[in-house]
Amino acid sequence: MKHFPKLLSSQIGFDVAQTMLEGFNRHYSHFRAAAVHAKTLFETADWLALQKLARDRIASYDDRVDECVRLLEDEYDAENIDDEVWQQIKLHYIGLLTHHLQPECAETFFNSVCCKILHRSYFNNDFIFVRPVISTEYLENEEPAAKPTYRAYYPGKDGLAATLERIVTNFQLDHPFEDLKRDVACIIDAIHENYGPFAEAFNFQVHVLSSLFFRNKAAYIIGRIINGEVLLPFAVPIRHAASGQLTLDTVLLKREQLQIIFSFSHSYFLVDMDVPSAYVDFLGTIMPGKPKAEIYTSVGLQKQGKNNFYRDLLRHLSHSSDHFIIAPGIKGLVMVVFTLPSFPYVFKIIKDAFPAPKDTTREKIQEKYQLVKRHDRLGRMADTLEYSSVALPLARLDEQLIRELEKEAPSMIEYEGDCLVIKHVYIERRMVPLNLFLQNGTEADIEHAIKEYGDAVKELMQANIFPGDMLYKNFGVTRHGRVVFYDYDEIEYLTDCNVRRVPQAQTEEDELSAEPWYAVAPNDIFPETYSTFLLGDPTVRRYFMRHHADFFDPALWQKHKEFLLKGELPDFFPYDQSARFCVRYPERFAQPQAAGAAGAAQHAPPGAPRSGGGPDAARAA
């Protein structure tokens, strides 16, 4: 490492800190620009471009980090800067963040750059931000022209209907509404149906986040109603109606519903935030108990979510004493999966070798996980946090787990003092494996889970995803009763698959053969054969055929594929469709509904499930 005179080292420390902060500011300006552009794409209904924008934004963070690392290496030979200068760099950086509006995200960017340059032994609080240094409490942009985090509205003067109309029009969407007064009346009726008529308290007010949340084909208004001691959360999805004009599709008034649209199985929102910590704090008030790490991730700041998650893990380890153990369920051929019972996540490590019939490589598996990270998950694929060089205390690892890691993934672990360092790991929300849920569930549980499983696979088809290995063990049941896919080593784009019917057997020997009597190319899929491993249990078979008899018909899969090849994107609703105003109050949509039915026939993919599987659907099942 290079040693510099004290004055020179101080100047270098400041210059490096300034360069790193400029790198973060470039990243965050790109992040905000993407959200601003999303509004234009939503207004013009350019769904393919909106999907690409969301995908590209995920990659942009790593691009900015790599750009900053190259600059530091070229300008300052960063790898050879000595320890004292690195400590000064951090101190100067802290000083530069004093009045910054995204200090927590800037600290995370600093960590990302340092981790690319420094050896793991330097990953401590002297060199990186193991703990946050700059407080974000009460942080707000105080510039006179700045947009506040949220706007407060007081319906007492003009009435709730006029207030709700003003809330919607204040977003200044450059596209007409089909019938805003009708939609607002539906919101008010839905509020009264859910909560009954309530007396307006002295402090009756509505708070609405100042930016729209864009994802898939919807823009969400997020807010809360405060009336006395009561806080009511709400989300209003704005969509393009069949007429081409905008409509308020529904109002989501239950915390469960909001938790689902902000869940780990959905893609990230595009939302323009001047002060992200203030948005996260607001969202925390309407989804109490939801970790900040998950909220940061859901609003597109996945690296900040990842950083917060790791801090949560370290904190949990210091306040618990149970052991990491092999996760319950059937062991996979590709991953070693373990968990900490007191912590609701699983840890997945790619094995060094894969037994037959698996024919893959570590690199291919990592590519599949990257594909899922950047793809529209439609609430049906679990998001993953990817880490390198994770040190876990050896005393907290079960002996059987250590032996399993040494046997199946020796290249992925190394011992360092009293820690086991895992070189590469994926971390996901823990769910009940679907096969165990089916084994232990009541008849009602089984019927609900099977309906959810079929809906999940059909929605994955809509997202252009063929799961590959569709065994029940590769799906999980969330605490909201939703079935989510989480095993990605065999996924493919549906449009890359050849959907085939099983050829007729020519001889009796063919029919009795344990092996296919017909040629099978790598990307061939045969939906008729899935019944063999999905319908073995009579109870499961009964409910599967009741809800998804078309599942094994190659025509269903082929129609989905053809729909996607035309460049169409289907409509998707992350809430029960019975909650939609056009379904809930059909008489009010009588005229548009006639056109809408024709539009739905043209734009809905064949065999698409009728429900997004929200909490209402779970209760109905």
Side-chain angles (χ1 to χ4, degrees), residues 461 494-501 525 527 550-566 605-606:
M461 290 186 211
L494 180 61
T495 49
D496 289 341
C497 297
N498 303 313
V499 182
R500 292 182 55 190
R501 291 189 177 275
I525 63 173
D550 59 346
F551 191 91
F552 308 104
D553 184 355
L556 171 71
W557 299 73
Q558 184 62 32
K559 286 176 183 176
H560 273 286
K561 176 180 174 179
E562 290 170 359
F563 183 84
L564 291 162
L565 287 172
K566 292 175 184 175

Side-chain angles (χ1 to χ4, degrees), residues 351-510:
K351 294 181 179 180
D352 284 1
F354 318 114
K358 291 291 182 183
D359 180 20
T360 187
T361 65
R362 181 183 303 279
E363 292 71 27
K364 286 181 181 177
I365 294 168
Q366 290 174 338
E367 286 172 8
K368 304 288 188 184
Y369 273 78
Q370 277 300 309
L371 183 157
V372 172
K373 172 68 74 174
R374 299 178 185 184
H375 202 79
D376 193 342
R377 295 190 294 279
L378 295 185
R380 293 301 188 179
M381 291 191 288
D383 191 19
T384 55
L385 300 170
E386 186 177 1
Y387 290 90
S388 298
S389 300
V390 174
L392 297 177
L394 264 173
R396 299 293 296 276
L397 272 70
D398 179 73
E399 280 294 329
Q400 187 178 354
L401 171 59
I402 293 174
R403 289 196 298 272
E404 184 79 3
L405 291 171
E406 289 176 338
K407 174 187 174 186
E408 301 289 357
S411 71
M412 286 291 102
I413 61 172
E414 61 182 30
Y415 295 95
E416 189 175 289
D418 57 358
C419 289
L420 180 76
V421 178
I422 299 173
K423 297 179 183 177
H424 186 259
V425 62
Y426 296 103
I427 303 176
E428 294 173 0
R429 258 284 183 178
R430 189 168 64 220
M431 294 172 270
V432 179
L434 180 57
N435 61 309
L436 297 183
F437 188 89
L438 293 172
Q439 286 175 20
N440 302 321
T442 64
E443 287 250 345
D445 290 335
I446 293 171
E447 179 173 13
H448 168 69
I450 288 301
K451 182 180 182 305
E452 271 284 302
Y453 170 86
D455 286 348
V457 176
K458 289 176 179 179
E459 287 169 15
L460 289 174
M461 290 186 211
Q462 293 182 59
N464 197 19
I465 291 292
F466 172 66
D469 190 345
M470 288 187 293
L471 291 173
Y472 296 132
K473 70 182 180 68
N474 297 321
F475 292 75
V477 182
T478 72
R479 60 197 176 102
H480 296 293
R482 290 173 61 79
V483 169
V484 171
F485 183 53
Y486 55 56
D487 192 325
Y488 305 141
D489 59 279
E490 291 190 21
I491 65 169
E492 299 287 348
Y493 290 119
L494 180 61
T495 49
D496 289 341
C497 297
N498 303 313
V499 182
R500 292 182 55 190
R501 291 189 177 275
V502 175
Q504 182 140 3
Q506 299 299 309
T507 65
E508 186 176 342
E509 288 76 10
D510 285 345

Side-chain angles (χ1 to χ4, degrees), residues 300-311:
L301 295 167
Q302 69 271 18
K303 297 295 182 179
Q304 185 61 32
K306 179 178 169 181
N307 197 10
N308 277 38
F309 171 85
Y310 193 65
R311 289 166 176 166

Side-chain angles (χ1 to χ4, degrees), residues 85 124 169 189 191 195 210 267 278 412 431 434 474 577 581:
V85 175
N124 59 64
T169 56
D189 286 350
I191 291 173
Y195 299 109
S210 296
S267 302
M412 286 291 102
M431 294 172 270
L434 180 57
N474 297 321
Q577 289 202 52
F581 291 151

